Amino acid sequence: MAGQADNRAPYAKIAAHYTELISSGQLEPGTLLPSIKNLAEEWKVSTATAEKALRKLRNEGLVRGIHGIGTEVLDQPGPMSSGSQRQDRGRRTGSSWGAGERSDSHQAAVVPAPPEVAQALDLKPGSDVIRRSRVYRDRHGIVAHSTSWIPARYGKMIPQLAESERLTGGTSLQLIAKATGHPISHRVDTASANLLTPEYARLLELDPKNPPTEPVVVMTAKFVDSEGNVVEFGVDLGGPGRTWRTESEVSP
């Protein structure tokens, strides 16, 4: 975590280390992870902590245990992230990328707000909005096509929001909060499974004449600042085969 102390439990640090190596392709499918004993020695933790780290990786579907052999790296597409998860990641690290991800196809334009976007942003239909889109990819292909809809007034304060380049100096939410002095106070998330439409197929770079038959995950996130202003509405369209996963601590 850039510029911040890492206060995660030791087992979580170990699991995060191997999650990054697996997701980035540095550990290929079929690779065996170190044994519990070797992990404990390398990280200077107890064998119970090392075992808990491997259990976390198994629960996340990244590895599997093979009796008498060890822990093997699995090959499968990583899950997509929601808008709120990307916001959290951007706040911690300065980047919305997940482990092993990159983004490209950054495009931006000022356009009339579609009805559902105008409603989400609390604007009159047809009002000018900034549409920013990008594609997140990893070694398996497209993770998600992501679109951010932002009221045009913020483009006057932050001109780069309307430029077809990857943002510098932070995420769009961080830049808006810095320019206005109003931090993001809350957000509203939705998730649904939708049939693949021709438009979705185009955005995901699929053949619209022969699209996959399984549904795709569509997630939205509405971000509101401390003054009650809706500053951004995000729509993330998951690539075929991508799932969405979240994790939280459960108190006993």
Side-chain angles (χ1 to χ4, degrees):
M1 299 181 188
Q4 294 188 22
D6 189 344
N7 296 319
R8 291 174 295 183
Y11 84 90
K13 294 180 184 179
I14 298 171
H17 171 75
Y18 282 100
T19 296
E20 170 63 26
L21 293 180
I22 294 169
S23 300
S24 65
Q26 295 179 63
L27 286 180
E28 297 182 351
T31 302
L32 294 179
L33 297 189
S35 66
I36 291 175
K37 179 181 178 181
N38 289 342
L39 271 181
E41 292 176 351
E42 178 184 351
W43 289 81
K44 296 180 175 56
V45 296
S46 68
T47 55
T49 295
E51 184 177 12
K52 189 173 182 180
L54 292 181
R55 188 185 311 125
K56 178 175 172 61
L57 294 172
R58 290 196 301 271
N59 290 341
E60 293 177 354
L62 296 174
V63 301
R64 66 171 179 170
I66 305 177
H67 182 69
I69 297 178
T71 302
E72 180 188 46
V73 174
L74 295 176
D75 184 25
Q76 61 181 30
M80 64 180 291
S81 299
S82 67
S84 57
Q85 287 170 320
R86 294 193 183 280
Q87 181 205 14
D88 289 340
R89 189 182 298 134
R91 186 172 60 246
R92 294 194 312 267
T93 69
S95 172
S96 62
W97 293 349
E101 285 184 0
R102 66 186 190 280
S103 61
D104 58 32
S105 306
H106 292 259
Q107 297 182 2
V110 177
V111 300
E116 67 278 10
V117 172
Q119 181 177 8
L121 293 176
D122 197 22
L123 298 173
K124 293 181 179 179
S127 298
D128 282 349
V129 293
I130 299 169
R131 181 186 62 208
R132 294 190 56 83
S133 63
R134 82 290 289 165
V135 177
Y136 290 98
R137 307 178 193 269
D138 63 12
R139 63 192 178 90
H140 289 279
I142 292 181
V143 179
H145 181 282
S146 182
T147 304
S148 299
W149 302 88
I150 303 168
R153 64 180 180 274
Y154 295 114
K156 297 177 181 179
M157 305 169 66
I158 313 163
Q160 70 165 315
L161 288 178
E163 298 173 359
S164 296
E165 301 288 344
R166 185 169 178 242
L167 294 175
T168 59
T171 64
S172 55
L173 292 170
Q174 289 172 321
L175 293 173
I176 292 172
K178 182 178 180 180
T180 62
H182 305 312
I184 303 301
S185 61
H186 68 280
R187 62 204 179 200
V188 180
D189 297 288
T190 71
S192 61
N194 292 19
L195 294 178
L196 194 67
T197 65
E199 175 63 10
Y200 286 171
R202 182 186 69 80
L203 294 176
L204 294 173
E205 302 172 8
L206 300 170
D207 181 0
K209 297 180 181 179
N210 188 31
T213 56
E214 67 269 21
V216 293
V217 178
V218 180
M219 309 191 74
T220 71
K222 183 165 65 172
F223 299 92
V224 184
D225 70 14
S226 57
E227 297 297 298
N229 302 304
V230 182
V231 302
E232 185 171 316
F233 176 61
V235 180
D236 287 285
L237 174 63
R242 302 287 175 165
T243 58
W244 172 64
R245 180 179 61 82
T246 185
E247 179 179 338
S248 59
E249 296 292 334
V250 177
S251 300

